[in-house]
Amino acid sequence: MSENRIAFVGTPCQIMAASKLQDYADSPIDVKLGLFCMENFSYKYFVNLLKEYDLKMEDIEKFQIEKGFVFLLLKTKQTVKIPLSVAKRIIRKNCNICVELTSETSDISIGSIGSEDGWSTLIIRTEKGEEIVNGAIEQKFIEAKEFNEAQFDLLNKIAESKISKNLERIEEREFLARPVLYQREKADDAIDKDISQSNFSDLKSNVIDVGSCVLCGACEYVCPDNLITIDDTKPRMKGECPEDCHACFAVCPRTFIHEDLRNDNSKPIGDFIKVLTVRSLKHTQGQDGSIVTTMLDYLLTNDIVTDVLVVDKKDELAWKPYAKLTKAIDEVVRSGGTKYSVCPVFKPLINLKEGAE
């Protein structure tokens, strides 16, 4: 496993899961590129919503969300606008308790909020991230400008809006006795004690059954006996947890989180070293100025990582996302663009783990 150095691209909840995997498990993830994310949609419900507009998934060339609308660029070159107020009804339940916009535990966060068209907002969070970004600038993979005060104000305003709105939803959930564990402010030793007493049944009752599962697949990856399987709905277990195994509960991004990873809701975009607005000098395809594709290209070209873990869409099922591990730049380019749905992102690591055993 140690031979693999993987760059992982994910949304805030997926990045949190990757960070917990680094803390609690033997993880090959070395670089985390986090995406800005307001919410994600249920694929099944998205298909049903499109029927109201006499559309199918296979009719769509590209998705984009901005200015209060879901924009659908069709293969006929027509554009269909669906108000976000309508699309809200197909948002996945777990998104309503997420108070993180900018993937705060990543090495580098990337999104479009605050930057002008053709440019992306890039947040450097760690020394590793800073070294990577500086190298990408020096080798002319990207160009960068300083983020100005007006851009900061917009980004902070939108991040604060997500936090305040979903904190209210968390309060509503907990009034109905549905626990939201990941926002609990507990001491690390108390968290460790709770984890030591918890297994899949606790994960099921506190996360899965109350609609908080993010479908990331971290639990499936860490299960030492391969008892957990995850498909498009939720994780399931066949058999009984090994004695004294608490791995699935520990790595879930919606269970208790140690203080060093926990969101500080007084800081709308989290801790960072520097914020830039950047543009790719290598690639033009994809959303957010193709910066994610360009950064992955830089990492692979310079052998900083051996592979990248990205989400592509299935050929046989239009816009259905699936995770894949690759070291080929052309595959990275083809996977560019937002899918607006979710899948078990850590599934490709299972084969990697089994191959190393």
Side-chain angles (χ1 to χ4, degrees):
M1 188 84 91
S2 59
E3 296 178 358
N4 299 97
R5 304 181 311 279
I6 293 173
F8 172 65
V9 180
T11 59
C13 55
Q14 294 165 350
I15 291 293
M16 179 61 77
S19 299
K20 294 184 82 174
L21 282 172
Q22 289 175 319
D23 279 358
Y24 290 107
D26 183 9
S27 172
I29 295 171
D30 187 52
V31 177
K32 295 172 292 186
L33 301 184
L35 305 173
F36 293 9
C37 181
M38 287 296 292
E39 63 257 322
N40 250 314
F41 301 131
S42 159
Y43 183 88
K44 178 182 177 181
Y45 293 157
F46 211 153
V47 170
N48 292 335
L49 177 63
L50 290 178
K51 291 178 182 177
E52 298 177 20
Y53 293 81
D54 294 321
L55 293 172
K56 299 177 180 178
M57 282 288 193
E58 52 263 36
D59 297 330
I60 298 168
E61 184 72 34
K62 183 180 179 181
F63 289 98
Q64 187 119 2
I65 295 180
E66 60 182 8
K67 300 177 181 177
F69 289 91
V70 179
F71 289 89
L72 310 178
L73 176 62
L74 306 183
K75 292 178 180 177
T76 61
K77 304 308 177 186
Q78 295 175 295
T79 299
V80 174
K81 293 196 306 183
I82 300 177
L84 263 182
S85 57
V86 174
K88 291 288 185 185
R89 71 175 189 255
I90 65 170
I91 292 172
R92 300 190 76 245
K93 288 181 181 179
N94 71 82
C95 295
N96 292 328
I97 58 167
C98 176
V99 295
E100 195 180 347
L101 175 71
T102 61
S103 296
E104 296 171 23
T105 62
S106 60
D107 295 296
I108 302 167
S109 301
I110 299 166
S112 59
I113 299 171
S115 290
E116 60 191 279
D117 290 345
W119 292 72
S120 295
T121 301
L122 185 150
I123 304 175
I124 300 172
R125 300 194 183 274
T126 64
E127 291 182 3
K128 180 187 294 182
E130 186 173 32
E131 184 177 349
I132 290 168
V133 172
N134 288 341
I137 294 171
E138 290 170 8
Q139 294 186 24
K140 300 191 183 306
F141 278 76
I142 61 173
E143 61 176 318
K145 299 187 295 186
E146 292 296 320
F147 211 57
N148 63 42
E149 186 175 349
Q151 291 171 316
F152 260 117
D153 288 344
L154 176 60
L155 180 56
N156 277 311
K157 180 181 178 181
I158 293 175
E160 285 176 342
S161 174
K162 179 174 182 177
I163 291 170
S164 61
K165 177 180 66 177
N166 286 350
L167 282 176
E168 289 180 6
R169 288 171 169 168
I170 288 172
E171 187 174 344
E172 291 170 2
R173 275 203 181 200
E174 297 205 320
F175 180 77
L176 298 172
R178 296 178 178 176
V180 180
L181 302 187
Y182 91 105
Q183 279 296 295
R184 301 283 173 87
E185 294 186 3
K186 299 183 63 158
D188 286 356
D189 56 351
I191 290 175
D192 290 338
K193 182 178 179 180
D194 279 328
I195 290 174
S196 71
Q197 297 172 348
S198 302
N199 58 22
F200 185 81
S201 64
D202 300 283
L203 184 68
K204 185 174 185 296
S205 60
N206 286 290
V207 176
I208 301 167
D209 290 347
V210 297
S212 296
C213 176
V214 304
L215 208 69
C216 67
C219 57
E220 180 185 32
Y221 170 70
V222 297
C223 182
D225 291 347
N226 298 319
L227 299 176
I228 300 174
T229 58
I230 184 168
D231 53 26
D232 291 335
T233 53
K234 59 185 179 180
R236 293 180 172 85
M237 169 165 277
K238 296 180 180 179
E240 295 184 7
C241 285
E243 189 175 351
D244 292 328
C245 180
H246 323 287
C248 62
F249 191 88
V251 301
C252 175
R254 289 294 180 256
T255 60
F256 301 113
I257 295 175
H258 279 164
E259 189 174 357
D260 62 331
L261 295 179
R262 192 183 307 149
N263 302 117
D264 181 347
N265 294 324
S266 69
K267 300 176 181 178
I269 63 172
D271 293 320
F272 59 89
I273 295 173
K274 185 185 295 185
V275 183
L276 301 170
T277 181
V278 299
R279 180 168 64 180
S280 174
L281 299 176
K282 292 281 187 177
H283 301 281
T284 58
Q285 296 178 343
Q287 198 164 316
D288 296 335
S290 298
I291 292 301
V292 173
T293 299
T294 303
M295 296 307 297
L296 294 177
D297 187 352
Y298 170 77
L299 290 168
L300 287 169
T301 298
N302 287 272
D303 196 32
I304 296 170
V305 300
T306 57
D307 307 87
V308 299
L309 182 53
V310 295
V311 174
D312 203 348
K313 56 182 184 290
K314 293 186 177 181
D315 293 332
E316 71 278 11
L317 196 57
W319 289 98
K320 182 70 172 177
Y322 77 101
K324 71 177 182 182
L325 200 59
T326 183
K327 57 186 66 183
I329 299 297
D330 60 338
E331 289 191 1
V332 173
V333 172
R334 283 200 302 270
S335 70
T338 307
K339 312 303 181 294
Y340 293 116
S341 191
V342 297
C343 66
V345 289
F346 299 110
K347 195 174 284 288
L349 299 185
I350 296 174
N351 291 335
L352 199 64
K353 178 176 69 172
E354 291 174 349
E357 292 174 350

